[in-house]
Amino acid sequence: MQQLKNIGSVYCGTPAWSILNSYIEESDHSRVYIITDTNTRQHCLPKLLNRINFEKSPQILEISAGEQYKNINTCMELWRSLSQNNADRNSLVINLGGGVVTDLGGFVACTFKRGLDFVNIPTSLLAMVDASIGGKTGVDLDSLKNQVGVIREPSLVILDVDFLDTLPQAHIRSGQAEMLKHGLVRSEEYFNNCLDFSIESKNSEELIWESVQIKQQIVEEDPMEKGLRKILNYGHTLGHAIESHFLETRPKAPLLHGEAIAIGMILATYISSEILNFPKDSLEEISNGILQIYAGQHFSESDIKSIRELMIYDKKNENGRINFVLLKDFGDHEINCEVSDSLVRKAFEYYADVCEKITLA
Ligand code: GLY
């Protein structure tokens, strides 16, 4: 029997299912609604239904899988389904899925009848180490990421790493990028351990749990992202803009969130080395390490121009200033840093150079 791990409202390991069972038994919700997507309904729902004793059968609400469905139209479908299936203010929503399901399902729960209780059961690595924790919920606005949403903590987050057995390798890598980010903003040793992360290795659950702890401790200190929590956006100012650009530019194949953030972290670390003297040898090691995991991407002049324009929509901007989180070293951050256009351009040149060196090596 695995040991129960707990921090805040997050529980991990097989015994976490008993925590959810007790919560459902004791909280006396009038009805339970489980939001899944087409993939998690097939691969993860049977396990959940096996583990939990529902007094009344829960209602299953299914959405299409994929970032392109993380929008207000999908919310409308879910709000209508909740309404047609008689959800009341004492209903419970369980979000069973990756980051799209936990972000969007959380938003639907927070807004339906001014707020229902919800529980997150993340089934992707990205959702386990990042999206399901800390109460950020929301949807994209066209190709702009997470522009509409609210912050409200779920009642519980239940982590069972066995769900990762059916997750494609590219999605494991996508979640690994957020673990690497936790290393950059907190600990060099953890960053290096995460470079070798593999779901098959013995320490995978330990590494996942370390990420959960890093994130949860930061969220507890600054739940509404007034200051410290902004460090969790390391690499995201450029990363989100890159992700949006790939989403809206055909025929480019969309990048997974973590793939875009991995590029954003190399760019942000280069900028950190120029503005805050982040050590150059560590910059090289970080860039090489990341590019061993994530394929290099080509950015043309017009790609870079459109990415710079998209950065204007970043939620961390204030008074028209584009705000970056930068690092002086591993775990030593500075928030609200202003970065010139020319330095952003130089960062892309640096990225192209390291990609080329790796290809030639
Ligand atoms: N994903 C960053 C945060 O939750 O603050």
Side-chain angles (χ1 to χ4, degrees):
M1 174 92 153
Q2 281 171 302
Q3 208 196 336
L4 179 67
K5 299 185 178 76
N6 168 235
I7 181 166
S9 57
V10 189
Y11 293 83
C12 174
T14 317
W17 292 108
S18 317
I19 302 285
L20 179 57
N21 258 319
S22 310
Y23 171 77
I24 290 176
E25 266 167 39
E26 286 157 22
S27 54
D28 198 29
H29 288 100
S30 44
R31 281 164 186 272
V32 180
Y33 298 84
I34 302 176
I35 300 182
T36 64
D37 67 21
T38 31
N39 293 330
T40 57
R41 183 171 195 156
Q42 187 190 346
H43 297 294
C44 307
L45 183 63
K47 176 166 185 161
L48 168 65
L49 295 178
N50 257 330
R51 295 280 187 180
I52 301 300
N53 317 312
F54 291 104
E55 217 172 273
K56 276 187 243 153
S57 292
Q59 188 83 39
I60 314 300
L61 307 178
E62 183 185 299
I63 63 172
S64 304
E67 180 75 30
Q68 66 273 37
Y69 299 104
K70 189 177 163 184
N71 57 38
I72 208 73
N73 297 331
T74 310
C75 294
M76 294 282 286
E77 283 169 26
L78 287 171
W79 286 320
R80 279 195 197 101
S81 298
L82 286 169
S83 183
Q84 283 156 8
N85 288 289
N86 306 317
D88 61 23
R89 290 192 72 177
N90 191 32
S91 299
L92 172 70
V93 170
I94 298 180
N95 298 313
L96 178 71
V100 172
V101 171
T102 59
D103 278 14
L104 184 143
F107 181 63
V108 164
C110 288
T111 45
F112 187 77
K113 295 196 192 264
R114 301 208 173 94
L116 310 183
D117 288 342
F118 69 103
V119 167
N120 283 339
I121 307 182
T123 59
S124 71
L125 182 58
L126 185 98
M128 287 183 190
V129 297
D130 188 22
S132 69
I133 304 166
K136 280 191 182 174
T137 74
V139 291
D140 301 340
L141 182 61
D142 303 321
S143 63
L144 299 174
K145 299 272 303 160
N146 304 331
Q147 293 289 297
V148 182
V150 298
I151 299 183
R152 210 188 93 201
E153 280 283 350
S155 304
L156 283 178
V157 181
I158 303 294
L159 246 83
D160 184 337
V161 296
D162 288 354
F163 282 127
L164 301 179
D165 292 348
T166 53
L167 197 67
Q169 197 51 39
H171 287 261
I172 297 286
R173 282 196 294 271
S174 183
Q176 189 181 359
E178 296 291 355
M179 296 169 74
L180 290 166
K181 176 196 75 183
H182 290 149
L184 289 171
V185 302
R186 272 295 190 242
S187 137
E188 181 170 4
E189 189 188 348
Y190 182 64
F191 176 85
N192 288 329
N193 290 339
C194 288
L195 284 175
D196 294 328
F197 178 80
S198 150
I199 210 63
E200 282 87 34
S201 69
K202 266 202 196 136
N203 67 347
S204 61
E205 187 172 315
E206 294 312 313
L207 287 177
I208 291 170
W209 188 246
E210 209 170 326
S211 251
V212 170
Q213 287 174 301
I214 291 172
K215 169 138 190 194
Q216 181 67 20
Q217 281 157 3
I218 293 169
V219 168
E220 281 174 11
E221 238 178 274
D222 178 21
M224 298 312 284
E225 200 172 296
K226 298 289 178 216
L228 179 70
R229 186 169 179 172
K230 291 184 185 179
I231 68 172
L232 293 174
N233 296 318
Y234 190 70
H236 283 58
T237 301
L238 274 155
H240 268 160
I242 290 168
E243 189 180 358
S244 297
H245 177 67
F246 275 70
L247 265 178
E248 70 182 16
T249 311
R250 301 279 171 249
K252 276 191 193 294
L255 288 178
L256 293 175
H257 176 72
E259 293 170 328
I261 296 313
I263 302 169
M265 290 192 293
I266 294 179
L267 299 171
T269 309
Y270 172 80
I271 295 169
S272 298
S273 76
E274 291 292 301
I275 298 188
L276 299 179
N277 291 322
F278 186 94
K280 290 273 185 214
D281 50 347
S282 301
L283 165 67
E284 295 297 310
E285 280 164 25
I286 289 165
S287 307
N288 291 333
I290 289 178
L291 284 166
Q292 297 298 331
I293 305 171
Y294 306 91
Q297 301 291 330
H298 172 72
F299 293 95
S300 67
E301 266 303 304
S302 79
D303 290 330
I304 296 170
K305 184 168 174 283
S306 114
I307 289 164
R308 279 168 43 223
E309 281 160 12
L310 283 163
M311 281 199 298
I312 292 164
Y313 297 98
D314 194 281
K315 297 181 295 306
K316 293 175 299 306
N317 297 338
E318 283 160 26
N319 293 327
R321 272 179 48 147
I322 297 177
N323 283 331
F324 274 75
V325 180
L326 298 177
L327 294 175
K328 292 184 224 156
D329 205 334
F330 284 93
D332 190 359
H333 63 268
E334 200 147 301
I335 55 175
N336 300 334
C337 300
E338 204 163 357
V339 176
S340 68
D341 265 3
S342 62
L343 191 51
V344 170
R345 189 173 289 280
K346 274 179 75 184
F348 274 103
E349 282 166 19
Y350 166 79
Y351 175 79
D353 284 351
V354 268
C355 286
E356 196 182 315
K357 275 189 206 139
I358 290 213
T359 321
L360 294 176

